[in-house]
Each structure stands twice: as structure tokens, then as C-alpha cells.
Amino acid sequence: MTSLEFTNQVQKISYSLKPVAMNLTRDADDAKDLVQETLLKALLNKDKFKAGTNLKAWLYTIMRNTFINNYNKITKRNSNIDSTEYFQYFNTDENYITHNGATSDFVVTDINEAIAGLSADYRTPFMMYYIGYKYLEIAEKLQIPIGTVKNRIHIARKELKQALKTYAPGV
């Protein structure tokens, strides 16, 4: 299939992408952006399309994946968690709930100290994973192998568990 034939077929199918994009985004402007991004990705990656396969399904797959990736970026961007407030609700065991909040302040302080006590090599990947980064993303950002990322997160969890064993229920 030549580039011109591919472009013509994509252009014919592009009109059927808008309703699907509208269904995904529920917003006319976002739908237009999604269709544009889908078409751009399709044209940039036309060498990956195999002639004789379903072009419409290929475009729908690109659109769906683009939508999911954009959604994940938006939710990750908006999920900056202040761990101090979050850890106040971390252990909801009745033994640790008080009306004046003093016990929970001690728990939060202990957790923050335990995290601060981790080596930076372990704390950084652990906190990135905690706020929602995937192992592969952490590996790319820190420029270390994915196995190292998994190992460091495992060790950080183990050290935190040891440091906070006072709060383990039933122990």
C-alpha cells in the first residue's frame, strides 16, 4: 500500500472516529483533539500498519490507547498526595483512633520518620511507586534497570515494616 492510498483510506475512515471519540471524552473539543492525535499517530506510524488488515480497527485501537494514556497522565498529574494528611488515615484499627488525634499524630510522625530514615536509593523509588508511578516509569526516570527498581521498593517496604512493627495488629 502506497502512502497516498494509506492517507486516502485514513481520511475516509476519519469521519467515523468522531462519534467514538465523543463517547470516550464526553466533550466536543476533547473529542476533536483525540481524533487529531489519533490521525497524527496513525500517519506517523503508517509503516507499522499491515496491509490487508482492518484499518478501522487499527485506528480505533490507537484512539483508545491514546485516550487511556492521556487519562492516566491527567490523573497522575492531579494525584499529588500530601502524605502527612494521608497517613493520618493509614491505620484505621480501633486501637489507634482517639478523639483528640494525639495517637494519630504519633503514628504519622513515626511513619514520616521511618520513611525519612530510608536511604535515598530506597526512598525515592518507593515514594514514586506510592504516588502512582509504574515500575517502568520509575526505571526510566531514575535511569536504572526495572529489576533494581522492584528490588529497592521491596527492601524499602521491608525496612518500613520493621521500623513500624509497633503498629502491626495482632503482634
Side-chain angles (χ1 to χ4, degrees):
M1 176 182 301
T2 67
S3 291
L4 185 59
E5 290 172 339
F6 179 82
T7 305
N8 286 337
Q9 285 186 7
V10 167
Q11 187 177 9
K12 287 177 188 173
I13 296 172
S14 68
Y15 298 108
S16 67
L17 295 176
K18 177 100 191 253
V20 176
M22 189 66 183
N23 191 24
L24 288 171
T25 63
R26 308 271 191 238
D27 181 71
D29 291 333
D30 289 342
K32 287 179 188 174
D33 291 343
L34 182 59
V35 169
Q36 278 186 337
E37 197 170 345
T38 301
L39 294 175
L40 177 65
K41 285 182 179 182
L43 293 173
L44 290 174
N45 294 297
K46 64 184 166 204
D47 55 311
K48 295 179 182 173
F49 176 73
K50 294 180 182 137
T53 59
N54 189 343
L55 179 61
K56 194 173 189 178
W58 188 68
L59 290 171
Y60 285 153
T61 302
I62 292 172
M63 180 182 289
R64 187 193 72 235
N65 291 342
T66 301
F67 174 75
I68 290 169
N69 290 340
N70 289 342
Y71 178 79
N72 287 338
K73 284 179 190 173
I74 290 168
T75 55
K76 194 173 285 178
R77 197 177 305 135
N78 294 334
S79 67
N80 294 334
I81 298 172
D82 180 11
S83 61
T84 309
E85 288 182 30
Y86 178 77
F87 282 135
Q88 289 178 352
Y89 308 104
F90 186 68
N91 194 341
T92 58
D93 186 53
E94 292 298 321
N95 296 330
Y96 302 110
I97 297 175
T98 61
H99 294 289
N100 66 7
T103 304
S104 65
D105 288 343
F106 286 122
V107 173
V108 170
T109 302
D110 288 349
I111 291 171
N112 286 334
E113 286 175 2
I115 291 172
L118 291 172
S119 162
D121 287 342
Y122 300 126
R123 184 177 53 247
T124 302
F126 174 78
M127 290 308 294
M128 289 176 74
Y129 183 76
Y130 171 75
I131 63 172
Y133 285 93
K134 305 283 186 241
Y135 290 127
L136 188 59
E137 293 171 323
I138 297 168
E140 289 172 358
K141 283 199 181 274
L142 299 179
Q143 297 178 347
I144 56 177
I146 194 167
T148 304
V149 169
K150 290 178 180 181
N151 186 42
R152 288 181 181 177
I153 291 171
H154 172 75
I155 291 171
R157 285 180 179 157
K158 210 166 138 181
E159 287 182 15
L160 289 173
K161 185 177 177 181
Q162 179 64 32
L164 299 169
K165 68 181 174 187
T166 306
Y167 300 104
V171 177

